[in-house]
Amino acid sequence: MNLFSRKSVVPPPSLSPQPSISNAATAGPEAFANNSAYGRGFFEPGAYSVALKRCENGHDLAQQLADMFEERAQLESVYTNQLRAWSRKWHTELVKSQEYGTNKKVWDQTATAGEQMAEVHGALSSSLTDSLIPKLRQWRKDNYEKSLIHYKKTKEFEKEFIDAQKSWSKLLDKISDYKSTYYAACKAAKLADDAERSASEEQRRKLADKAEVARREVGSAKAKYEQAVNEAREQRPRYESAMKEVFERTQAFEKKRLDFFKETFEEFSKILETATEDNPTLKKMNDDYKTNITAHDSNEDLSWWDQNYGTQTNNRWPEYEEYRD
């Protein structure tokens, strides 16, 4: 039998079998629901570990974002150098060619256009390398200070969760022990009753006292079990409040990350805007990017996380369960 009662958890809607790259990226936090902690009550013993894992993930995600922009900067730099090499090559070829007049002049300008386009891509690479990437790496360093194996912020949250859950965990252990004692007493009493009923008249007198003692032990064990469950009901509001206080601090820490990422995306959009302002196709690309940034809502993301991993999840709370054979 279970120590706890629990509501059923509705699974998240399944994702389409073959989403496009865009759909896969915008599938949202639901993809994170593959996490084994999905649907587990946050207030259950040790379940807060998912909040600690999110803190640890924040450092890795900041690293991934910096790596992504660094790759983009390198790509832009390589393309810049290739364009410049291409431009120099064809200027040289044209000097040696037999072409002449206005046609030669336009041809030369065609090669010059490669140098001008290289300036655009070179500026994009420099903006990423000189401003955006160092800022992102410094932010990660400032917010994820390491202490031996773990990050200091994670250890701080872990200690607060352990302190908030300490007395509750002891109470759950007590309920479990009293429940086991009660069930064992019920089983022993049933065996004593069965032995008394099946015994001879002479044996029955001897077994009657044992059966009576066993029944008294059942009553005593049941009273302790019920009392412990009632104690849990009384302590639950205080326990939930203490856990929520720590949880909200982890939410605030995560919001800081989400908001900084949004600022980073906005800075990248401005870099793109400078590089693409005179090109309708590239301007639309950047407009679409800015539209997605506008839809970025850290509060919405945190609310989703709370509902699926935090304080709004279905939790198992202690309830009295009668013994059954």
Side-chain angles (χ1 to χ4, degrees):
M1 296 185 179
N2 294 326
L3 171 62
F4 303 101
S5 66
R6 184 175 183 176
K7 299 177 183 177
S8 61
V9 177
V10 179
S14 59
L15 301 175
S16 54
Q18 292 183 335
S20 67
I21 293 176
S22 175
N23 287 339
T26 57
E30 290 79 4
F32 190 55
N34 294 326
N35 187 306
S36 61
Y38 181 79
R40 182 182 176 189
F42 179 77
F43 295 101
E44 294 172 25
Y48 59 78
S49 61
V50 68
L52 301 180
K53 180 61 177 173
R54 181 175 63 168
C55 293
E56 297 273 323
N57 288 342
H59 173 274
D60 297 340
L61 292 169
Q63 177 67 51
Q64 284 184 322
L65 187 60
D67 289 346
M68 186 190 77
F69 281 126
E70 189 166 315
E71 283 185 18
R72 177 65 184 269
Q74 290 172 353
L75 287 171
E76 296 291 345
S77 179
V78 169
Y79 187 47
T80 295
N81 293 332
Q82 289 177 335
L83 279 173
R84 285 173 176 159
W86 174 86
S87 183
R88 286 194 301 270
K89 171 189 173 182
W90 286 103
H91 278 307
T92 302
E93 292 292 330
L94 192 57
V95 168
K96 296 185 294 184
S97 76
Q98 301 299 310
E99 191 55 88
Y100 61 94
T102 58
N103 198 57
K104 183 175 183 178
K105 184 177 182 180
V106 175
W107 193 342
D108 186 66
Q109 184 59 42
T110 303
T112 299
E115 178 67 25
Q116 293 169 330
M117 182 60 73
E119 292 296 324
V120 174
H121 290 278
L124 178 54
S125 178
S126 296
S127 295
L128 291 172
T129 302
D130 299 339
S131 175
L132 188 147
I133 295 172
K135 189 183 300 182
L136 181 51
R137 294 199 186 283
Q138 186 62 46
W139 181 90
R140 186 197 64 198
K141 182 179 178 181
D142 292 342
N143 287 272
Y144 293 92
E145 185 180 357
K146 203 152 191 177
S147 174
L148 295 178
I149 300 175
H150 301 286
Y151 300 106
K152 285 188 176 181
K153 205 65 180 176
T154 306
K155 292 299 293 181
E156 176 186 320
F157 289 141
E158 182 178 29
K159 182 180 183 304
E160 291 177 357
F161 276 127
I162 289 174
D163 289 344
Q165 203 165 77
K166 187 178 297 182
S167 61
W168 181 258
S169 295
K170 289 181 179 179
L171 179 56
L172 294 184
D173 289 341
K174 184 166 74 170
I175 291 173
S176 180
D177 289 343
Y178 284 163
K179 179 181 177 181
S180 297
T181 300
Y182 171 54
Y183 281 16
C186 289
K187 187 175 182 180
K190 184 178 184 303
L191 292 174
D193 286 340
D194 291 344
E196 182 185 3
R197 281 194 297 270
S198 61
S200 64
E201 188 67 30
E202 183 179 350
Q203 291 176 319
R204 193 174 299 162
R205 294 192 193 96
K206 298 178 182 179
L207 294 173
D209 290 341
K210 290 185 177 180
E212 180 59 29
V213 169
R215 283 190 287 271
R216 284 200 298 270
E217 289 179 352
V218 167
S220 176
K222 179 177 181 179
K224 289 181 179 179
Y225 176 32
E226 289 179 324
Q227 183 179 357
V229 171
N230 290 333
E231 185 180 348
R233 292 195 184 102
E234 293 173 0
Q235 287 193 19
R236 174 180 164 182
R238 185 166 59 253
Y239 165 63
E240 284 188 276
S241 177
M243 289 290 286
K244 285 179 179 179
E245 283 183 17
V246 184
F247 177 75
E248 288 305 321
R249 285 194 281 277
T250 68
Q251 288 282 78
F253 184 68
E254 175 69 358
K255 187 177 190 306
K256 187 178 180 182
R257 182 188 73 83
L258 294 173
D259 289 345
F260 177 76
F261 273 35
K262 183 177 182 180
E263 291 174 13
T264 303
F265 296 143
E266 288 171 339
E267 182 175 345
F268 181 60
S269 177
K270 290 176 183 177
I271 293 172
L272 290 178
E273 190 171 22
T274 301
T276 64
E277 57 187 354
D278 295 326
N279 186 309
T281 301
L282 296 179
K283 183 177 182 302
K284 182 181 184 306
M285 172 198 70
N286 196 36
D287 287 345
D288 290 344
Y289 186 62
K290 286 193 287 187
T291 297
N292 277 273
I293 293 176
T294 302
H296 184 294
D297 188 336
S298 58
N299 289 323
E300 180 180 322
D301 291 348
L302 292 170
S303 176
W304 180 92
W305 203 93
D306 189 12
Q307 290 172 9
N308 290 278
Y309 293 94
T311 61
Q312 303 304 310
T313 50
N314 290 322
N315 289 275
R316 299 182 297 179
W317 299 107
E319 286 191 358
Y320 175 81
E321 296 179 82
E322 188 54 81
Y323 173 79
R324 294 183 179 83
D325 292 336

